[in-house]
Amino acid sequence: MNPMSNFIKRINKENLWDKAIELERNDYLKTRGTSDTNIYLVIHGSLRIFVIDKNEEHTIRFGYKDNLIAALDSFLNEQPSDLYIQALKKTKVKVINKAKFKSFMMSSPENQNIWMSILENLVLQQMERERDILTSSPVERYNRVLKRSPQLFQEIPNKHIASYLRMTPETLSRIKKS
């Protein structure tokens, strides 16, 4: 079992979720300028995390079934964030607040190790993505994401995948056809 699944299973076993939230397509779970010290488990549906720069949206991350998602900067520093979290389709998430999550995480060395492994994996993924954006061609970025996350292409609309890959939707369409 992967660390994320193991971690979620442990939280479920302890029944630590505070509540569930249902979002309609395009509803926001978090908006720019707000603090959010919750972590969310996607039960069904899909979400995206993005920022807006000069009226252009830049997708940073996606979450879909069985993923944890958060405005990690706000979660960690308890400050307002520039991030938005938006539902891309009808979505249900479970919520755990930071205090309860932190208590659970600190309750055992195994929980701490799993959380550290999840964070390390997140950092490595982010570094790989940044390197791809800076040094890889659009085709190489597309192929790497397709190999790493094939589910993404079933769950997420092409215009958001294109934003994530830092290309136009037309470029993504051409690459997919070739």
Side-chain angles (χ1 to χ4, degrees):
M1 182 178 288
N2 73 39
M4 182 73 75
S5 296
N6 191 8
F7 203 59
I8 292 167
K9 185 177 178 182
R10 289 167 166 271
I11 294 171
N12 285 336
K13 184 178 177 187
E14 298 281 331
N15 195 26
L16 296 177
W17 301 106
D18 294 315
K19 61 183 175 180
I21 298 173
E22 299 251 355
L23 300 161
E24 295 297 322
R25 181 176 179 257
N26 295 325
D27 283 354
Y28 289 93
L29 185 60
K30 189 214 170 294
T31 57
R32 178 182 186 198
T34 61
S35 296
D36 189 349
T37 56
N38 295 316
I39 289 183
Y40 304 93
L41 171 65
V42 181
I43 304 303
H44 64 76
S46 57
L47 300 137
R48 70 180 177 129
I49 298 177
F50 68 99
V51 296
I52 297 177
D53 177 46
K54 297 178 186 154
N55 296 325
E56 188 176 348
E57 296 178 0
H58 299 285
T59 300
I60 297 170
R61 194 155 201 82
F62 297 106
Y64 33 82
K65 188 177 180 352
D66 298 328
N67 285 171
L68 291 177
I69 193 165
L72 199 54
D73 60 341
S74 190
F75 177 80
L76 294 172
N77 67 22
E78 300 181 14
Q79 298 294 313
S81 169
D82 288 339
L83 299 176
Y84 293 82
I85 303 177
Q86 182 184 37
L88 297 175
K89 59 172 88 169
K90 188 171 182 163
T91 300
K92 180 178 181 179
V93 296
K94 287 184 180 178
V95 183
I96 186 170
N97 68 57
K98 183 176 182 173
K100 196 180 285 187
F101 180 81
K102 196 170 185 180
S103 176
F104 165 75
M105 187 186 58
M106 300 304 283
S107 68
S108 79
E110 188 172 0
N111 288 347
Q112 290 175 29
N113 289 337
I114 294 170
W115 180 238
M116 185 60 70
S117 174
I118 290 168
L119 288 177
E120 287 171 354
N121 190 34
L122 182 64
V123 168
L124 291 172
Q125 286 175 12
Q126 193 63 33
M127 289 175 68
E128 178 180 305
R129 180 166 179 270
E130 287 176 20
R131 186 178 59 248
D132 273 357
I133 289 169
L134 294 171
T135 64
S136 299
S137 72
V139 172
E140 290 168 327
R141 292 194 304 268
Y142 168 80
N143 286 330
R144 193 172 335 267
V145 169
L146 180 61
K147 182 179 177 185
R148 184 179 60 227
S149 304
Q151 182 182 2
L152 185 74
F153 294 89
Q154 275 84 54
E155 296 285 331
I156 306 298
N158 281 341
K159 71 178 185 176
H160 299 304
I161 295 172
S163 170
Y164 177 76
L165 293 171
R166 298 297 189 266
M167 62 181 71
T168 65
E170 295 78 18
T171 299
L172 177 61
S173 180
R174 279 193 303 275
I175 291 169
K176 287 174 81 172
K177 288 178 185 175
S178 63

